[in-house]
Amino acid sequence: MQQYDRNNIFARIIRGEIPSHKVYEDTQTLAFMDVMPQARGHVLVIPKCEALELTDMPQDYLVAVFSAAKKIIGAQRKVLHRDGIVQLQLSGEQAGQSVFHYHIHLIPGHIHELGKHESVAADQAELAQLAAQLRAELD
Ligand code: DGP
């Protein structure tokens, strides 16, 4: 079994060592724009606990992450003017997981139209603007 790496990218984002375009935060969760989005408005929701994937998730953090996801999906629907949001979570490298800190993808797109995530970062100004719009909708 793979060990949780405290220096994975998302752990560093939680600690503020790496910048992110924050959308939502509470004591147990953090949500931010995916820097290599599969669709415009792609958000990641993560727990502030050391969990590699679903089987490591404590019950209370699961509830917290899904509660945050519910709020964010509502904001995405308003800001992006679309109903369809793909909620995706990959558990394990064989499933395609590339960052080993549990995360839910909230992707405004159609499942059959989603390719691999981009290999280059999206425009930072656009990500910042989308994050600001989503935060405003969540306030
Ligand atoms: P997965 O393949 O399910 O492990 O998804 C990892 C996602 O994380 C992928 O969509 C790209 C995104 N990502 C990778 N590095 C960073 C980063 O430094 N910042 C942000 N905001 N997203 C990242």
Side-chain angles (χ1 to χ4, degrees):
M1 260 313 263
Q2 193 169 348
Q3 293 291 309
Y4 182 83
D5 174 7
R6 290 190 173 159
N7 284 319
N8 74 73
I9 294 165
F10 294 169
R12 298 189 67 198
I13 286 177
I14 292 170
R15 293 197 296 270
E17 294 167 7
I18 291 179
S20 67
H21 296 288
K22 191 174 23 169
V23 169
Y24 174 82
E25 184 168 22
D26 60 35
T27 55
Q28 289 179 296
T29 70
L30 179 67
F32 51 90
M33 304 307 296
D34 192 307
V35 84
M36 291 175 272
Q38 285 174 265
R40 190 167 175 272
H42 181 163
V43 172
L44 299 170
V45 191
I46 65 173
K48 293 180 180 174
C49 66
E50 294 182 1
L52 259 162
E53 45 113 308
L54 183 62
T55 57
D56 301 316
M57 280 290 281
Q59 200 73 15
D60 58 331
Y61 278 93
L62 270 179
V63 172
V65 162
F66 277 86
S67 300
K70 262 175 78 171
K71 292 179 193 154
I72 294 157
I73 283 178
Q76 285 175 310
R77 285 186 167 144
K78 287 195 177 132
V79 168
L80 298 158
H81 308 292
R82 60 168 292 130
D83 269 352
I85 311 289
V86 176
Q87 180 193 312
L88 188 70
Q89 193 266 313
L90 310 177
S91 278
E93 200 169 0
Q94 288 178 332
Q97 185 176 3
S98 62
V99 177
F100 295 96
H101 180 110
Y102 178 85
H103 51 282
I104 300 177
H105 296 262
L106 300 177
I107 312 172
H110 188 291
I111 187 69
H112 293 148
E113 288 163 9
L114 300 180
K116 279 184 73 175
H117 64 66
E118 300 290 337
S119 54
V120 289
D123 179 68
Q124 293 295 319
E126 191 186 6
L127 290 181
Q129 191 193 10
L130 279 164
Q133 283 178 277
L134 291 167
R135 280 197 307 275
E137 201 56 56
L138 285 159
D139 278 346

